[in-house]
Amino acid sequence: MIYSISNIAQIIHAEHGALTNSSIEFLLIDSRKLNYPERSLFFALSSTRKDGHMFIQELYEKGVRNFVVQKGYISATKDANYLFVEDVLEALQLVATYHRASFITNELSKKIPVIGITGSNGKTIVKEWLNQLLQDDFQIVRSPRSYNSQIGVPLSIWQMNDTDTMAIFEAGISTSNEMDALWKMIQPTIGVFTGIGQSHNEGFRNRFEKLEEKLKLFRLTDQTILAVNEMHENELELVKLQFPKAFTWSRKPGVSLQVINEERSQHKTTIVAMVAGVEEKIDIPFTDPISVDNAITCWSVLKVLGYHTSLIRERMQKLEPVEMRMQLKTGINNCYIINDSYSNDLSSLSIALTYLKQQAAEQKKTIILSDILQSGISNEVLYKMVSEELVNQKVQRLFGIGKNISSFKNIFLNQGITCDFFESTEAFLQAATHHLFQNEYILLKGARIFEFERISKWLEKQQHQTVMEINLTAMLHNLKSYQQKLQPTTKVMAMVKAFSYGSGSVEVARLLEFHKIDYLAVAYADEGVVLRKAGIRLPIMVMSPDEASFDALLEYHLEPELFSNAIFHSFEQYLQKQAVTHFPVHIKFNTGMNRLGFEVEEATALAASIINNNCFLIKSAFSHLAASEDENLDAFTLEQARLFDSACNHLQEGIGYHFIRHLSNTAAIFRNPDLQYDMVRLGIGLYGVDTANEKDLSLQTVASLKSTIAQIRTIHENDTVGYNRKGRVNRVSKIATVRIGYADGFNRRLGNGRVSMYVNGKLAPVIGNVCMDMTMIDITDIPGVNEGDQVEIFGNHLTIQQLAAWSDTIPYEIMTGISQRVKRVYLEE
């Protein structure tokens, strides 16, 4: 639907001058995601770290002419529409509320069922499964991915149009008094509660308060479905009081749907329940407890909607896994593959293209795209919109797969996009050859029925089955967790040395640059060169320069750390020979680490050397804290800060200008907030490792090392396992051989029961010596383990901190020791 700018001005009660007539079709909150400037309305949202008004000039230069801004903002341009409001976020929500209400009160629009989903876990899975179960009967609009926040919900609701016959929206909250705004926007007619759990406990006084807040979403629903299986007695009393007619499910009696039996086989679960006194049964193609609970919630929704038992059984057994994350993998011929083929609609396509742009930067971009099914608009209009999106995102090449998209190939050819079209995935695989793909990023975006996993497998570089998964969404969460502890003006330097602690420097750097980090730091110049060749433009500090790297520093605009008179004068002489002046450098002082750095007493003489020539421009001065994570050494940390202040003051007085000061590392960001200065250096905390052991940070696991079981065998009492017969069993035992060894970075000292691996929900101890390519684990007491099953070496279930503790080392050594032959897979949720 399209609104005029004057209409929106009335909706949000904005102050404004004379308005130039504009039609608004797209709401924009992120300047990096601009596609249709002339039809977009930018909301200048602000937070403690970012002020959206800073990006108005950039957007104006790209063609945007409509802005919602805070009262008091002074515009530098005159030929644009500015809507002035007290609260920009509230204005965004008012637009969504008005748009949603039009599907209730507008005579031209039919009232459609709107499902609102909330709960501690499972919201996105339930939403996607309901879409799978109901899409044959409804034209459904739903939240893209996990757009369930105060900002995500209005963007989700804005998608509603007159062709939709059902809407499904998530509502997520993290603290009290947040649900009212979401309820006003969503106004669900059907409420779905997925259950109460531990997530976001820190935002509430207790669990009961959290439940009360979540239930506010259902205050006026016609029908409500509640998963009450994990509720306490007082919580159940609240539910019965507020929703006496709700449809509830549990494994306990006294509910609408009581689960009485669950039988798991290798690939499915049979669930038996009593519903209104009648025994009913369904099969689902999943065995894990979380999927079972989510499936029962969906089953309950279908019962409320009046579906017959036989149809429910038929559809539930066809449920497909929901891939919550985009995967970035290494491909053939120096290509990278972004696999996002679990769904294909306009909203998810836009998100995937933004991720493609983020990762590829200036490199060639290709998309393999299937038919977009059940869009609710004509194919001609649909593929015209898709072609415009591809052009705006600078995609150079399209492979279209499917009869529909092939029928409209002229739309893409007229846009100047290089195209090839195939009626099926099979036809593409028969015709395509590997040499067609060279040095590019390839996005796979296909509906499930097109089986793009076949294309993904064909394009992927063949490597062995041990992988390290890097969750970029979790990394971004960790970055924001630390940023919330900083003053608004404090900059962040991200440490991406040592292959980003083993996680992959280019991919991590692209994520950080996309989210406007201030600085990057690497150990050696060649690491910086890799980043520059990959298109990274952020300033990069090199912490260990040497004479052999001077040419690279100049050629690739890398900024060296100068830590001694020897390196200072050597680089000074080099710059003089090159006739280079005011080259950016960073000065390091030794304040107690006693590793690298000028002594504090040298600051005045150092300043004199700097002003005696114009070779250097001092960008920053810093020092390294020796024990910021240890509260027993806080006095030493404060003494380091005192010495650092003294050195910086003398240096600044001598050179006569300001520079960035930074002292805090990851642990100090949280433990020593008074030492933030102008910038902090964030390292392993980005990767979810809290060296200060502060539980308030709620960091998420970024890196997960996983492998698979190659073989399982049964051995007898007194048999031995591995080289030198080091592993001996005292009973009949089952031994699994895992595809990881010391050549992959699983250290040889970790054998003989020192550490365990996580498999099928339990820990299995390593038995015998670790081999070069294989390690054996004892799975005798773990039922249901099969060859080919996944094994977690560290990750969400077995933390890297635990593995490091077992190994008498630190997480840094574990992460940086993972071999380059281990495939890195990058995930974005």
Side-chain angles (χ1 to χ4, degrees), residues 42 44-56 73:
F42 178 68
L45 297 172
S46 297
S47 66
T48 56
R49 297 291 306 171
K50 290 285 191 304
D51 183 352
H53 299 84
M54 297 168 53
F55 305 101
I56 289 177
Y73 172 74

Side-chain angles (χ1 to χ4, degrees), residues 52-305:
H53 299 84
M54 297 168 53
F55 305 101
I56 289 177
Q57 184 61 36
E58 171 192 336
L59 288 167
Y60 178 85
E61 292 171 0
K62 293 179 179 179
V64 178
R65 291 296 181 268
N66 298 286
F67 303 92
V68 177
V69 298
Q70 194 86 28
K71 284 184 178 179
Y73 172 74
I74 301 174
S75 63
T77 56
K78 303 303 179 185
D79 59 334
N81 294 322
Y82 290 93
L83 306 184
F84 296 91
V85 296
E86 294 286 352
D87 187 322
V88 177
L89 175 58
E90 183 182 351
L92 174 65
Q93 294 176 344
L94 283 172
V95 171
T97 301
Y98 181 92
H99 185 61
R100 166 69 182 97
S102 69
F103 291 86
I104 301 174
T105 59
N106 188 344
E107 293 181 0
L108 298 178
S109 300
K110 52 189 175 296
K111 180 177 179 179
I112 67 173
V114 174
I115 300 177
I117 305 174
T118 193
S120 294
N121 301 291
K123 295 184 290 294
T124 301
I125 297 294
V126 169
K127 177 199 67 186
E128 293 299 327
W129 277 354
L130 287 176
N131 180 65
Q132 291 181 26
L133 294 165
L134 300 172
Q135 63 185 354
D136 289 343
D137 308 313
F138 297 92
Q139 178 62 46
I140 300 174
V141 58
R142 67 193 193 280
S143 307
R145 295 190 177 268
S146 298
Y147 275 36
N148 58 29
S149 67
Q150 300 290 319
I151 296 172
V153 167
L155 297 179
S156 299
I157 290 171
W158 183 254
Q159 299 177 108
M160 296 178 73
N161 63 60
D162 287 334
T163 65
D164 299 318
T165 59
M166 175 178 277
I168 309 177
F169 299 126
E170 297 178 47
I173 57 172
S174 57
T175 187
S176 57
N177 301 316
E178 285 189 336
M179 190 59 84
D180 281 337
L182 301 184
W183 171 76
K184 288 177 183 177
M185 289 184 283
I186 297 173
Q187 299 179 56
T189 62
I190 301 170
V192 178
F193 183 69
T194 61
I196 188 77
Q198 300 302 315
S199 61
H200 299 301
N201 277 351
E202 64 277 7
F204 302 90
R205 288 178 297 177
N206 51 53
R207 214 173 96 137
F208 190 81
E209 182 185 64
K210 180 169 67 173
L211 176 63
E212 284 186 307
E213 184 69 20
K214 289 181 179 294
L215 293 179
K216 289 178 182 178
L217 182 64
F218 310 136
R219 62 186 69 173
L220 293 178
T221 51
D222 300 327
Q223 297 163 306
T224 308
I225 298 95
L226 303 169
V228 300
N229 189 57
E230 300 296 329
M231 285 190 183
H232 302 154
E233 283 300 319
N234 63 330
E235 295 166 346
L236 283 170
E237 290 175 7
L238 174 67
V239 166
K240 291 176 182 177
L241 180 64
Q242 290 192 9
F243 306 98
K245 297 181 180 180
F247 188 101
T248 55
W249 81 261
S250 177
R251 292 175 176 84
K252 302 171 186 176
V255 291
S256 310
L257 187 154
Q258 182 193 354
V259 177
I260 58 175
N261 190 41
E262 299 164 68
E263 293 184 4
R264 290 174 170 82
S265 59
Q266 187 169 350
H267 300 296
K268 75 172 184 176
T269 301
T270 299
I271 309 168
V272 182
M274 296 299 295
V275 186
V278 178
E279 185 176 297
E280 296 186 12
K281 180 173 68 174
I282 62 168
D283 295 322
I284 62 169
F286 305 96
T287 58
D288 63 286
I290 293 174
S291 293
V292 169
D293 283 1
N294 289 333
I296 297 169
T297 299
C298 293
W299 181 8
S300 301
V301 174
L302 295 185
K303 294 299 294 184
V304 168
L305 292 177

Side-chain angles (χ1 to χ4, degrees), residues 812-826:
Y812 296 84
E813 182 181 357
I814 300 288
M815 287 189 66
T816 57
I818 304 304
S819 165
Q820 293 298 299
R821 83 172 187 177
V822 174
K823 179 169 63 174
R824 271 65 172 177
V825 177
Y826 299 90

